[in-house]
Amino acid sequence: MTAPLLDVKGLAVRYGHVEAVNGIDLHLAPGRITTLVGANGAGKSTTLLALSGLVAKAAGRVQFDGTDITALPPHRIVASGLVQVAEGRATLTTLTVRENLDLGGYTRRDGAAARAADLEKVYTLFPRLKEREHGLAGNLSGGEQQMLAIGRALMARPKLLLLDEPSMGLAPIIVQDIFRTLREINREGLTIFLVEQNVRQALKIADHAYVLENGRIVLEGSGALLLNEPKVQAAYLGG
Ligand code: ATP
């Protein structure tokens, strides 16, 4: 078995007395799409925040690409290649599409030519962003803002892309579009960790999936296996 790109052991996060994440293990294989699904309040967002170094870990160890990143500050984690797509799309609405994308690449040290090449890749993935390049991000539709958030994260040259509910608030047809693009990005070699309440869609595109309930992993398996698992069907897929 190849070594996981991200290896999480015993991760726990508490907010005061609330045990939001309760000692979970995750193994993300390189080049794969892994998903973490679960109901509202299960601890999914908290897990991502902890991996990105944005909330304190009460316990656990995080190894990324062979390095222990457990105690690193967020900017060092991003620089190491673990990049989270901003939640709620958090695009900078008073900046243009292009300025938002440029911001995504600003911590890179590999020069203007490499950044320009990646900008072209983002525009190829999302032609709509190219069309709106000089328009304000605030004038984009919800789906376009989600594309911009993903594009901005890609500009940071991630080795692992984390996404927190990219489907939230979007029409089903746009969700299909976003998920299709995630698959495409993955096919080009990027490892993806996707957190979703849209369990059906997430399991459909995932190579491997974890189900989180009350801060604990209760099931794990391939996306296809969990789609057919009676417990998952009853709890998350409407029977
Ligand atoms: P959602 O899909 O609603 O975001 P989630 O699975 O991502 O759900 P979390 O947001 O990680 O779940 O929340 C896990 C638990 O931690 C919940 O009980 C939530 O109420 C609690 N929680 C989250 N953020 C905080 C906070 N800043 N302070 C206190 N409790 C919090």
Side-chain angles (χ1 to χ4, degrees), residues 129-172:
L129 296 184
K130 173 77 177 169
E131 287 166 25
R132 311 291 300 263
E133 184 173 22
H134 302 296
L136 291 184
N139 292 337
L140 298 178
S141 70
E144 290 164 351
Q145 289 198 19
Q146 182 61 61
M147 291 170 194
L148 180 56
I150 295 171
R152 194 170 69 184
L154 292 176
M155 288 301 294
R157 278 245 144 171
K159 290 179 195 153
L160 170 63
L161 191 68
L162 308 183
L163 296 106
D164 194 353
E165 293 194 33
S167 75
M168 181 140 64
L170 300 180

Side-chain angles (χ1 to χ4, degrees), residues 15 18 20 39-47 87 165 197:
Y15 298 112
V18 178
N40 225 318
K44 305 180 299 298
S45 300
T46 301
T47 300
E87 198 188 356
E165 293 194 33
Q197 268 189 68

Side-chain angles (χ1 to χ4, degrees), residues 2 5 39 42 44 56 61 69 75 85-87 106 115 139-140 143 148 151 156 169 197 206 209 218 229:
T2 40
L5 178 62
K44 305 180 299 298
R61 219 193 55 179
I69 63 161
H75 69 278
V85 173
E87 198 188 356
Y106 100 108
R115 285 199 298 274
N139 292 337
L140 298 178
L148 180 56
Q197 268 189 68
V218 293
E229 162 69 46

